[in-house]
Amino acid sequence: MKLPLSWLKDYTSIDGISCKEYAAALTMSGSKVEGIENLGAEIDRVVTGEILRVEKHPDSDHLMICQLDVGQEEPVQIVTGAPNITEETVGRVCPVALHKSTLPGGVKITKGKLRGVASNGMMCSFQELGLDLGCVPYACENGILLLPEGTKVGVPIQDVLGLNEDVVEFEITSNRPDCLSVIGLARETAATFNRPFSIKEPVVKGCGDDISKYIAVEIEEPALCSRYSAKVVKNIKIEPSPAWLRERLHAAGVRPINNIVDITNYVMLEYGQPMHAFDYACLSDGKIVVRRPRAGESIETLDGQERAITGEMLAICDGVKPVAVAGVMGGANSEITDSTTTVVFESACFHGATVRLTAKALGMRTEASGRFEKGLDPSLTMPALLRACELIEQLGAGDVVDGTVDVYPGACAPKTLPFEPQKINALLGIDLTEAEQIAYLERLDFKVENGVVTIPNFRIDIERTCDLAEEVARMYGYDNIPTTLYAGEMVQGEFTPKQQLERTVSFVCRMAGFDEAMSHSFISPKFYDAINLPEDDVRRISTTILNPLGEDFSIMRTTVLPSMLDNLAHNHAHRNAVACLFELGTIYTPTIQNGKADPNTLPHEEKILTLGTYGQMDFFQFKGVIEALCQELSVKDVSFSAVHDNPSYHPGRCAEVFSGETRLGVFGTIHPLVAKKYGLQGEVLAAELAIDALFATADPIKLYQPLPKFPASTRDIAVLCDETIPVASLQKAIEKAAGTIVESVTLFDVYQGDQIPAGKKSVAYSMSLRAADRTLTDEECDRAMKKAIAALETEFAAVLRG
């Protein structure tokens, strides 16, 4: 929004305030200033000059030698080739760029010679001054700009053409459509500097006729058009607007056209209310109907394009046809022309969202649609309409018919909010008195009476007490609000025990050479087929997403394994020879009713540590990673149990992990058929460990153990047993039987070969025996050995090897 400061002064005073001070203050009070511009800042040493004499150039058929009075002691000689400079223009005044002058765009003008004749400057056209024809309708399009009679000589051209205007450009946020107007910004200016603000009530004299003889308005869609106001003006005279009006429009960035169009644009900028003018002669039956378009209807808009309009839009129609697209653009079939004698002025309030969708669908965004789509105040339509008619009478552009058509089906009372000064202070962290807060609010046209704040109609953005607090804050000054700490006890932030465990898990995995991966929690049902889940597996029952991105993201996963294998396959497809990944991912287990997920109950969420690797580790190395993880978490009594029926893993290389009786998870080599589906080759290993189970069994207390003072005794034991007996079971039996002096039992050999009977295997352990208070004797060590051998013979029929 461009605001000419001279226009602003019609409503409030900014005397004694520089442009920079003004911009800084308005920005701090919430109206962000994008920039400040002086329209004639680039023009230097360009003045008005009277043509004293014109004569032909002796060596040219089209050049003329002119003598001009520019207010100096001596006339200035300038040679020009402009076709409109002849002997008949003697006495006329035009812009003259003197020697060492500057024009818009940084153009430099210096004296020189044309065909041997000195030329001490340049006579200017309106284009060279950065203007268009609408700003100077009296100008010649292809010649020097001849100014109106009576123009003073030797005056800077900025003063003559209104180019000495300071313009402030604002960035208006979408919640403040009231500031898309001169009046709105003037109100903000007056409030910011605490200066008087006033709006002159428009005065329309009228010509004595009756509007009911001319037009009737009907709103068929009150939800889309909350108010429609109209007046009729007859005996219209289409002509250029006066200079002051053209200059203000030009400064605000709007091209002047003619008096009628300029008035509607002027009122839109002044009040923020878009307006439109119809040629009354083009309205069938003198009716205006606000309705949705009917099937097959179209309209040629003012830009000359035929546009199909649909039932989702809103149209302004006469008794037969559409004559405008509501809130966007008028139709060519009711356009104001030079032959127009009677005009209908429209000032209406349309539904913002509908206008936005219509403008987007038609591919035509206009100044009007940009304002309507932000939401306008219906109470603006009448003041803006009266202001337009007042300008009609002031400019002598026509006779205003008495009476107004004002259809307002949805009139409503102003919004109110309770006035809570203590709450406002608490929100802002300041200590203003009730009277001070009221004064700030009343600056902005809020009314505070009996503990109730009445919100002005134009402030559609005010909904809650916090909005009122913001108004108080910006008037008080954001920079005046002290920096304070939050009230209450300060609590130092820290990780919860479970978060600390998850961080430890991530650390151990990274130290083991694994990189963290992340994947979506929603997957395709086909993922369960990829990991060979049976049709009756309960994990296939998943929570279905109501609005999925697609079939591949339609359910919430009950296992992270397919996502991990998918990540491994991605690495393998990109020729990564080794991949080690881990993910702390969430699974979603639904409540099952009648064999289906209960849609009315949220699924149970659980974090699972999933590891996956290929190309680097074998089964036992991978097992070592899991043991290291359990050791770092101080998980006690860790054991492993072979699993042969997990469909996703190799039946001979899969084990469950336990802590006592608590199952922690499963790990092993991925089943070859599953690996093949993912395009993976070689041994692929994976593990799935429940974070909740690890958290429940982990011991957060670390106990200090001093270095042993007494030496350990070592004994080796090798036995023959059935090949089906797990070596871990033998180890547990040894530890239990040998008693408290056993420090550790380590497996160091498993052998099957020619010297071993079929169906048997040789298993060898190294036992470390130590007492904390003494050196063990050979007899004590031998007794422990004998107990261990006896236990192996009794429990597993193991035989000591000779």
Side-chain angles (χ1 to χ4, degrees):
M1 173 73 189
K2 290 186 176 182
L3 175 67
L5 293 186
S6 64
W7 199 346
L8 174 73
K9 293 175 184 177
D10 287 355
Y11 303 98
T12 190
S13 170
I14 53 171
D15 294 341
I17 302 172
S18 69
C19 287
K20 288 186 177 180
E21 291 171 338
Y22 176 79
L26 265 290
T27 298
M28 287 303 296
S29 68
S31 303
K32 182 183 176 184
V33 174
E34 285 288 282
I36 305 172
E37 174 191 12
N38 184 279
L39 297 182
E42 291 187 302
I43 300 175
D44 184 39
R45 289 180 55 79
V46 180
V47 299
T48 56
E50 181 184 355
I51 302 174
L52 302 177
R53 187 170 69 252
V54 178
E55 57 186 25
K56 291 185 178 181
H57 193 290
D59 295 327
S60 174
D61 293 334
H62 69 281
L63 294 177
M64 307 296 288
I65 303 173
C66 305
Q67 304 296 326
L68 296 107
D69 177 9
V70 294
Q72 299 178 0
E73 294 182 359
E74 298 291 333
V76 173
Q77 177 174 292
I78 294 177
V79 178
T80 180
N84 66 329
I85 300 300
T86 65
E87 294 179 354
E88 295 178 357
T89 56
V90 172
R92 297 296 300 273
V93 177
C94 66
V96 178
L98 303 175
H99 174 55
K100 293 186 178 180
S101 60
T102 306
L103 296 177
V107 177
K108 303 290 185 181
I109 303 298
T110 58
K111 63 183 179 180
K113 290 186 177 181
L114 291 176
R115 300 279 182 95
V117 176
S119 181
N120 298 314
M122 184 179 77
M123 302 160 71
C124 302
S125 66
F126 68 85
Q127 295 97 330
E128 290 162 333
L129 295 174
L131 303 174
D132 58 46
L133 188 59
C135 299
V136 282
Y138 49 81
C140 172
E141 289 193 52
N142 298 307
I144 300 303
L145 173 61
L146 299 177
L147 299 169
E149 294 183 4
T151 302
K152 293 183 179 180
V153 173
V155 177
I157 197 64
Q158 294 97 318
D159 296 338
V160 175
L161 297 178
L163 297 177
N164 55 356
E165 178 73 77
D166 289 319
V167 179
V168 180
E169 184 171 4
F170 289 88
E171 179 186 338
I172 306 300
T173 55
S174 59
N175 66 324
R176 292 299 305 274
D178 58 299
C179 288
L180 285 170
S181 64
V182 175
I183 289 175
L185 290 173
R187 185 184 291 109
E188 289 292 311
T189 299
T192 300
F193 294 102
N194 198 19
R195 296 193 174 188
F197 169 75
S198 62
I199 305 175
K200 181 184 175 182
E201 192 75 24
V203 177
V204 181
K205 299 176 181 178
C207 66
D209 208 339
D210 186 358
I211 194 172
S212 63
K213 299 177 183 178
Y214 291 84
I215 194 167
V217 175
E218 178 185 354
I219 299 178
E220 291 186 3
E221 297 288 342
L224 304 184
C225 178
S226 56
R227 190 175 189 180
Y228 195 101
S229 308
K231 286 188 78 67
V232 174
V233 180
K234 62 183 183 179
N235 301 323
I236 285 290
K237 303 177 187 68
I238 307 294
E239 57 189 10
S241 299
W244 67 268
L245 182 55
R246 299 195 308 269
E247 289 169 4
R248 281 192 171 179
L249 290 178
H250 173 67
V254 176
R255 181 172 62 91
I257 298 175
N258 60 50
N259 53 354
I260 303 302
V261 176
D262 291 351
I263 285 171
T264 60
N265 286 334
Y266 186 90
V267 173
M268 179 182 69
L269 293 173
E270 189 173 41
Y271 281 77
Q273 171 65 47
M275 296 186 63
H276 187 64
F278 300 101
D279 187 338
Y280 176 75
C282 300
L283 300 178
S284 300
D285 304 327
K287 291 179 63 177
I288 289 180
V289 182
V290 184
R291 60 172 173 83
R292 293 186 185 272
R294 299 188 178 99
E297 282 189 324
S298 64
I299 184 173
E300 181 185 348
T301 49
L302 289 174
D303 57 4
Q305 295 189 35
E306 189 73 22
R307 301 179 187 274
I309 48 180
T310 65
E312 291 77 25
M313 303 175 183
L314 187 67
I316 310 300
C317 308
D318 58 15
V320 178
K321 61 189 182 299
V323 293
V325 181
V328 182
M329 188 178 285
N333 56 10
S334 59
E335 182 181 5
I336 305 296
T337 65
D338 292 341
S339 61
T340 299
T341 58
T342 304
V343 165
V344 176
F345 278 99
E346 165 197 279
S347 181
C349 186
F350 302 114
H351 186 247
T354 301
V355 172
R356 180 180 181 277
L357 293 173
T358 299
K360 184 177 180 181
L362 297 178
M364 47 190 301
R365 183 179 175 84
T366 61
E367 285 285 341
S369 68
R371 284 170 164 78
F372 277 122
E373 68 185 29
K374 292 175 176 62
L376 294 183
D377 172 19
S379 65
L380 273 180
T381 64
M382 279 301 294
L385 185 61
L386 294 175
R387 175 59 169 154
C389 292
E390 181 183 50
L391 289 171
I392 287 286
E393 293 183 338
Q394 288 180 0
L395 272 55
D399 300 324
V400 181
V401 173
D402 285 357
T404 304
V405 175
D406 185 24
V407 183
Y408 195 6
C412 56
K415 290 187 295 185
T416 60
L417 287 172
F419 180 51
E420 302 172 292
Q422 292 181 348
K423 187 174 181 180
I424 289 175
N425 278 334
L427 284 169
L428 300 178
I430 56 179
D431 188 20
L432 294 176
T433 66
E434 181 176 326
E436 288 173 325
Q437 293 185 26
I438 292 174
Y440 286 137
L441 291 173
E442 288 182 343
R443 280 196 207 176
L444 296 163
D445 280 2
F446 292 83
K447 299 291 186 292
V448 185
E449 292 179 348
N450 301 321
V452 176
V453 181
T454 302
I455 301 163
N457 290 330
F458 57 82
R459 290 305 302 273
I460 63 173
D461 58 313
I462 304 298
E463 297 288 346
R464 297 171 294 176
T465 299
C466 60
D467 297 325
L468 294 177
E470 182 181 6
E471 298 303 297
V472 171
R474 65 192 189 90
M475 289 298 101
Y476 176 68
Y478 293 120
D479 50 339
N480 294 325
I481 297 176
T483 301
T484 58
L485 294 174
Y486 288 110
E489 182 182 354
M490 298 299 293
V491 179
Q492 183 176 357
E494 61 181 14
F495 293 107
T496 65
K498 192 169 184 180
Q499 288 173 329
Q500 292 174 349
L501 179 134
E502 291 177 8
R503 288 169 61 86
T504 301
V505 167
S506 296
F507 174 78
V508 173
C509 290
R510 285 192 293 269
M511 291 301 99
F514 287 75
D515 295 314
E516 187 168 7
M518 298 181 70
S519 57
H520 292 297
S521 295
F522 30 87
I523 61 173
S524 167
K526 297 178 182 177
F527 275 31
Y528 296 142
D529 297 330
I531 61 171
N532 281 354
L533 284 190
E535 292 295 332
D536 59 350
D537 195 305
V538 71
R539 287 176 293 176
R540 282 185 174 270
I541 303 175
S542 306
T543 301
T544 303
I545 301 173
L546 293 178
N547 55 341
L549 298 175
E551 178 65 22
D552 289 343
F553 305 96
S554 60
I555 61 172
M556 304 302 291
R557 66 188 177 189
T558 58
T559 172
V560 186
L561 182 61
S563 300
M564 176 57 69
L565 295 177
D566 199 42
N567 288 333
L568 293 177
H570 179 79
N571 279 270
H572 187 271
H574 286 75
R575 301 182 182 278
N576 289 334
V578 174
C580 295
L581 303 176
F582 79 94
E583 178 176 358
L584 282 168
T586 305
I587 64 171
Y588 303 82
T589 306
T591 300
I592 301 174
Q593 286 189 348
N594 299 323
K596 294 183 179 180
D598 183 3
N600 299 317
T601 306
L602 292 175
H604 172 67
E605 299 183 26
E606 181 183 4
K607 272 197 174 180
I608 301 294
L609 170 64
T610 306
L611 299 100
T613 181
Y614 68 81
Q616 184 171 355
M617 298 182 184
D618 61 19
F619 178 85
F620 292 103
Q621 290 173 316
F622 192 60
K623 176 174 175 282
V625 172
I626 295 170
E627 289 175 325
L629 176 64
C630 293
Q631 181 179 357
E632 186 65 28
L633 297 177
S634 298
V635 176
K636 305 299 183 184
D637 196 17
V638 176
S639 62
F640 300 90
S641 177
V643 176
H644 306 290
D645 58 355
N646 192 316
S648 303
Y649 292 89
H650 193 293
R653 296 182 182 178
C654 179
E656 290 181 321
V657 188
F658 288 88
S659 173
E661 299 298 324
T662 303
R663 183 182 182 275
L664 303 180
V666 64
F667 77 97
T669 302
I670 293 298
H671 198 289
L673 295 179
V674 174
K676 184 177 181 181
K677 290 179 182 179
Y678 283 93
L680 296 168
Q681 299 175 357
E683 186 172 21
V684 182
L685 297 155
E688 301 168 80
L689 303 175
I691 292 295
D692 287 345
L694 287 172
F695 180 71
T697 56
D699 187 356
I701 300 175
K702 306 292 184 181
L703 297 178
Y704 168 71
Q705 289 186 342
L707 292 174
K709 296 180 179 180
F710 301 96
S713 296
T714 303
R715 297 287 190 273
D716 292 341
I717 180 173
V719 295
L720 285 173
C721 65
D722 290 341
E723 63 180 358
T724 58
I725 298 174
V727 293
S729 300
L730 299 173
Q731 181 174 328
K732 282 186 177 181
I734 294 172
E735 292 172 347
K736 183 178 179 181
T740 58
I741 64 171
V742 175
E743 185 178 56
S744 65
V745 178
T746 305
L747 174 72
F748 69 85
D749 183 56
V750 177
Y751 175 72
Q752 287 179 286
D754 295 338
Q755 294 90 1
I756 303 300
K760 299 289 185 179
K761 63 183 176 183
S762 172
V763 184
Y765 295 92
S766 177
M767 299 171 58
S768 177
L769 308 173
R770 191 196 306 267
D773 57 350
R774 66 188 187 283
T775 301
L776 293 175
T777 64
D778 289 340
E779 291 78 8
E780 289 176 309
C781 293
D782 292 340
R783 280 198 300 270
M785 281 286 293
K786 290 177 181 179
K787 289 179 181 180
I789 293 170
L792 294 177
E793 290 177 348
T794 303
E795 295 182 31
F796 303 104
V799 179
L800 186 67
R801 289 187 63 187

